[in-house]
Amino acid sequence: GDVLLAISTSGRSPNVLKALEAARRLGLRTIVMMGEGGDPALGECDVRIGIPTRDTQRIQEAHTAVLHAMCLCVDQRVAAWGDRT
């Protein structure tokens, strides 16, 4: 059930590519957040969240909004588990 969340503004970060390769070898699900024009290998993930611009500031702002939304979803799930006890 483990997941790797990889974040790359450029979509070409060698360390992110290596992390994705390792995650796939270990059988983890993979989510990539990246900007426009990234390495095609980053597209070989389970979920790709692409921000359609090459403007670093806009990409990072969008990544922040997406991460906040993800945290909200996790918080809601955890709270629902607590209600089951």
Side-chain angles (χ1 to χ4, degrees):
D2 291 332
V3 175
L4 170 74
L5 172 61
I7 302 171
S8 174
T9 301
S10 69
R12 294 184 299 278
S13 305
N15 56 334
V16 172
L17 289 167
K18 287 180 184 179
L20 285 168
E21 290 169 11
R24 283 193 286 268
R25 281 195 309 274
L26 294 169
L28 277 66
R29 296 203 46 144
T30 55
I31 301 170
V32 174
M33 293 175 38
M34 59 188 270
E36 185 175 79
D39 189 306
L42 286 177
E44 296 175 16
C45 58
D46 296 306
V47 177
R48 179 183 178 276
I49 301 170
I51 309 303
T53 183
R54 292 177 189 254
D55 184 326
T56 299
Q57 292 172 326
R58 299 294 88 80
I59 295 166
Q60 291 174 346
E61 289 168 350
H63 284 173
T64 299
V66 170
L67 287 169
H68 280 287
M70 287 179 172
C71 289
L72 176 62
C73 291
V74 170
D75 286 346
Q76 290 172 341
R77 289 283 181 118
V78 169
W81 288 336
D83 293 341
R84 294 181 192 168
T85 58

